[in-house]
Amino acid sequence: MNRVPRLLALAAFLTGSARLDARTLALVTGVGNYDDPRNNLDCLEADMANVRRLVTGPLGVAPSDLLVLTDRQATAPAIIQAFRSHLVQKAGREDTVVFYYSGHGYHVPDLNGDEEDGQDEILAPYGVDSAFWRPG
């Protein structure tokens, strides 16, 4: 069994709000089908199903508070916009937000010197090609 959903549930439980009117908002993103089929991931459908069960079950996220972006929907601009509009703008002081990403990631050169290994880690949303990625 995948340990990530259990760890997310534990983290949400430990940081959950004591206020009865607090809610949990979730942005769940994943990419399994990339532009280059050699990079595709077979596990995305099962991963998304498991995470949906976790957030709508133990974490208590209402359907209206859950936003899911997958594959072509999960571009960098779309994820950033959803993060702002679905999590940041909707969350109150006592609310909990959950962001989940399933997909590839990359190591890129550390430009500000804060990494001991000289590499930053980034997500690889749909449409990102590591050979052409440039910091914005």
Side-chain angles (χ1 to χ4, degrees):
M1 174 147 186
N2 189 340
R3 292 178 8 169
V4 172
R6 283 188 264 159
L7 292 174
L8 282 173
L10 177 62
F13 174 76
L14 293 174
T15 61
S17 172
R19 292 197 41 158
L20 294 177
D21 60 341
R23 64 185 178 160
T24 302
L25 298 127
L27 172 58
V28 175
T29 64
V31 181
N33 296 300
Y34 286 89
D35 287 331
D36 184 341
R38 295 175 298 176
N39 295 326
N40 288 353
L41 300 170
D42 294 333
C43 61
L44 182 68
E45 190 172 313
D47 197 25
M48 292 291 102
N50 287 333
V51 172
R52 277 182 198 245
R53 274 194 301 278
L54 171 69
V55 298
T56 59
L59 298 185
V61 175
S64 61
D65 292 332
L66 170 63
L67 179 59
V68 178
L69 301 175
T70 57
D71 291 330
R72 290 182 184 271
Q73 298 171 325
T75 63
I79 292 171
I80 292 168
Q81 176 58 34
F83 203 94
R84 287 179 179 145
S85 65
H86 184 70
L87 299 180
V88 175
Q89 292 175 359
K90 289 184 178 180
R93 289 186 66 175
E94 301 296 325
D95 292 341
T96 300
V97 298
V98 175
F99 173 75
Y100 181 83
Y101 169 79
S102 178
H104 286 297
Y106 294 121
H107 288 263
V108 295
D110 174 22
L111 300 179
N112 66 359
D114 68 338
E115 299 285 343
E116 287 184 22
D117 65 357
Q119 299 286 304
D120 279 326
E121 296 76 28
I122 64 167
L123 305 179
Y126 188 85
V128 170
D129 180 346
S130 65
F132 300 105
W133 185 84
R134 299 288 183 267

